[in-house]
Amino acid sequence: MNILFFGLTSIALYSLGTTYQALIYFRKTPSKPFCALLLGLIAAAAHSTMTYGLISLNGGLDLSFFNASSLFASLIVAVLLIVSVQRPTHNLFLVAYPIAIATIICALLFDANPENLTYENSGILSHIILSVLAYSVFTLAAGQALLLYLQNKQLKTNYTSLLIKNLPPLQTMEALLFEMIWAGLILLTLGIISGTIFIDDLFAQHLVHKTILSIIAWLIFSSLLIGRQLKGWRGITASKWTLWGCLFLMLGYFGSKLVIELIL
């Protein structure tokens, strides 16, 4: 497999997609959802193929920092493409595509300490898949929460910017945020449960930090959903809780990997 070819192809397509979305954002060209979706799908396919070539090992996976970042970014784009078919999330491509480009470049140029993860049964693999999917959905929720926060701030000051003109109505933005949180929380719950069942010692080795911070994130998101039902939390409050939960979740995985593989 020519990893470099697929990497460069995905960079070129993501760059083209970013440019196209920027032109739509600034009202320089009309939106053509099918073209944008097709371009994104081809870019994501090339990105996923490159990532598979990097992480696949005989009997295991190399989920070192940069490889994991590339896998994580490819899943974010894939989930966003799926969601965008039915939901107004196209503005998030302006963030997701550049992040994907950065992870591809780093994965191609830099080497971290290899983390050869072998799995003896499908249980460990299911835990990995569920966890990475949960991180991907919550990352999209963080982007949505940030947009919702800015939208609330500008509406309260009666400031109508280009951002406000490009975003859906406030109620639609809030509904979409909580849909993402529900989906992410279900995946995170299943990931934690599968880890408890299939990993012999969840608090062994370097898993203790990931486990504790993931549980803290789970409590934050659960509290937000309870507060939504009981006290009607919304708007800026919901945005802040979402961003805090995503921060703990990202620290739990990428923060610990950054320190262990690249600093220590």
Side-chain angles (χ1 to χ4, degrees):
M1 179 187 297
N2 194 328
I3 293 175
L4 181 60
F5 169 77
F6 285 106
L8 294 178
T9 300
S10 56
I11 289 174
L13 293 174
Y14 280 141
S15 300
L16 185 58
T18 303
T19 303
Y20 179 63
Q21 292 296 333
L23 290 174
I24 295 173
Y25 181 84
F26 289 107
R27 310 292 178 88
K28 300 296 184 181
T29 188
S31 176
K32 296 180 179 179
F34 177 77
C35 293
L37 179 62
L38 182 60
L39 180 62
L41 287 173
I42 298 173
H47 186 181
S48 300
T49 303
M50 183 211 78
T51 303
Y52 176 78
L54 289 173
I55 70 174
S56 61
L57 298 171
N58 291 327
L61 301 171
D62 178 6
L63 291 178
S64 55
F65 182 82
F66 295 115
N67 288 353
S69 298
S70 181
L71 173 63
F72 180 63
S74 67
L75 283 174
I76 290 176
V77 173
V79 171
L80 184 55
L81 286 167
I82 295 171
V83 173
S84 68
V85 175
Q86 296 291 334
R87 297 291 187 270
T89 57
H90 298 86
N91 289 307
L92 292 176
F93 284 116
L94 287 171
V95 179
Y97 284 167
I99 290 175
I101 292 172
T103 62
I104 292 169
I105 293 173
C106 290
L108 291 174
L109 294 181
F110 303 111
D111 291 322
N113 293 326
E115 183 179 332
N116 298 335
L117 179 63
T118 58
Y119 46 87
E120 299 177 355
N121 55 59
S122 58
I124 300 297
L125 185 59
S126 66
H127 168 70
I128 296 171
I129 293 172
L130 288 167
S131 299
V132 174
L133 282 173
Y135 297 156
S136 302
V137 173
F138 277 127
T139 300
L140 293 178
Q144 183 72 6
L146 183 58
L147 289 177
L148 181 61
Y149 179 86
L150 295 173
Q151 188 178 28
N152 272 279
K153 283 289 188 180
Q154 294 190 8
L155 288 174
K156 286 184 177 181
T157 58
N158 295 318
Y159 175 61
T160 306
S161 67
L162 188 60
L163 177 66
I164 296 297
K165 294 178 181 178
N166 278 283
L167 290 179
L170 194 62
Q171 288 184 339
T172 303
M173 291 287 288
E174 289 182 346
L176 181 56
L177 173 63
F178 281 97
E179 286 177 7
M180 291 178 177
I181 293 173
W182 270 111
L185 187 63
I186 291 171
L187 289 168
L188 182 60
T189 302
L190 293 174
I192 292 174
I193 292 174
S194 62
T196 303
I197 295 173
F198 296 110
I199 297 177
D200 293 334
D201 188 352
L202 199 61
F203 290 90
Q205 301 172 356
H206 304 305
L207 297 178
V208 61
H209 305 92
K210 299 176 185 178
T211 304
I212 293 174
L213 290 172
S214 295
I215 291 173
I216 292 174
W218 186 93
L219 291 172
I220 291 174
F221 291 121
S222 298
S223 299
L224 172 57
L225 293 176
I226 293 172
R228 166 81 164 177
Q229 294 296 320
L230 299 182
K231 298 185 178 181
W233 288 353
R234 52 182 294 184
I236 292 178
T237 300
S239 298
K240 289 181 178 179
W241 277 74
T242 303
L243 291 171
W244 275 110
C246 291
L247 176 62
F248 278 101
L249 201 59
M250 293 303 106
L251 284 176
Y253 188 72
F254 285 102
S256 60
K257 289 181 75 67
L258 178 65
V259 172
I260 293 169
E261 295 182 24
L262 301 180
I263 297 178
L264 297 181

